[in-house]
Amino acid sequence: MKEPLIDIIKSASLIFKEGYFSTKNVDFKAKKDMVTQYDVAVENYLKAKLSLAFPTFNIIAEESNNEQSVFGDSIIIDPIDGTTNFVNGVPHCAISVGVYKDQQPFMGVVYNPILEELFFAQVECGAFLNEEPIHVSQESNFQKALLATGFPYSGATNQDDLNIVINNLHKILPACQDIRRFGSAALDLCYVAKGMFEGYYEINLQAWDVSAGVIILKEAGGKVSNQHGEKHHIFNDKYMLASNGLIHQKLVDMVE
């Protein structure tokens, strides 16, 4: 499954790259939640090709109506994770595809065709960046940890979510080395996987944002949980905490 999956994603990236360097038609699903014609075009291409290549899997995708989709043997697609970056010419954006069998992680691909970064993992087979093995950081001192986070679109209209973001920054920023906000959850998880960040946290992520990244991170030796330190469910949990494992409990203790 690996080779045809990657071939299809690389073919879809031609549409992605064309859009990145072109003028976009931008609509808003919510106050800050952008979608372009290229999100739709990449998604439609992936759905058509993946359905033919892997007919026993159903497709769950960001820009589609998923009301009738049952999570089981599923391929979960984010055609452009980091659309705001994509629209504004910031090169931190990617195609994310997570493959699940009977609701269990199986395979993940996150591909940033602008920076030519292809992250891949299969359960019990390790994680890779451009076919080279990757591993999480071995830093255990939280004060030396470089973290990543994201700001939910809901913060524009939901005061409670905005307060969570501000309160977490107030608590965590003084206690760590620093915090970065790159604007792509899929890539943030991969950057923890390759040891660039020690940890990452965010609220209100969707399954397509993280379905591939969590597989890649875990296969690189990392850990993912909800805010209580319990197993994270990609369709249910408000919070995601991800780390190299060594700073995880400290991160759990600090988030609101």
Side-chain angles (χ1 to χ4, degrees), residues 110-177:
V110 174
Y111 182 40
N112 179 347
I114 308 306
L115 299 182
E116 288 296 335
E117 295 177 323
L118 193 148
F119 295 89
F120 170 82
Q122 182 174 331
V123 171
E124 298 184 356
C125 294
F128 302 85
L129 168 56
N130 296 337
E131 300 186 352
E132 294 294 327
I134 56 173
H135 305 280
V136 295
S137 161
Q138 294 303 300
E139 181 59 66
S140 60
N141 186 337
F142 197 85
Q143 187 64 66
K144 295 180 180 179
L146 182 61
L147 305 181
T149 192
F151 305 146
Y153 296 130
S154 59
T157 54
N158 185 316
Q159 188 64 47
D160 289 339
D161 285 351
L162 180 59
N163 287 340
I164 288 173
V165 170
I166 299 304
N167 291 339
N168 280 332
L169 282 173
H170 183 75
K171 291 168 63 178
I172 296 171
L173 182 55
C176 68
Q177 180 186 358

Side-chain angles (χ1 to χ4, degrees), residues 54 63 132 146 186 195-197 243:
F54 311 111
E63 309 305 338
E132 294 294 327
L146 182 61
M196 190 166 81
F197 299 139
S243 78

Side-chain angles (χ1 to χ4, degrees), residues 208-240:
W208 38 79
D209 298 320
V210 301
S211 65
V214 295
I215 299 172
I216 294 164
L217 175 57
K218 289 178 182 178
E219 286 299 306
K223 184 172 182 177
V224 178
S225 78
N226 63 17
Q227 73 271 33
H228 305 299
E230 301 164 346
K231 181 178 179 180
H232 177 268
H233 297 276
I234 61 173
F235 283 97
N236 299 324
D237 282 321
K238 183 178 181 69
Y239 257 100
M240 166 174 279

Side-chain angles (χ1 to χ4, degrees), residues 10 12-22 24 38 42 86 111-114 116:
K10 284 188 171 181
S13 75
L14 299 178
I15 304 170
F16 186 113
K17 286 193 284 189
E18 174 191 330
Y20 184 84
F21 295 106
S22 301
K24 292 88 166 167
Y38 293 101
V42 172
F86 179 83
Y111 182 40
N112 179 347
I114 308 306
E116 288 296 335

Side-chain angles (χ1 to χ4, degrees), residues 18-38:
E18 174 191 330
Y20 184 84
F21 295 106
S22 301
T23 301
K24 292 88 166 167
N25 298 322
V26 180
D27 293 316
F28 286 84
K29 295 182 284 184
K31 186 174 182 180
K32 291 190 176 185
D33 194 0
M34 292 179 174
V35 61
T36 73
Q37 75 269 39
Y38 293 101

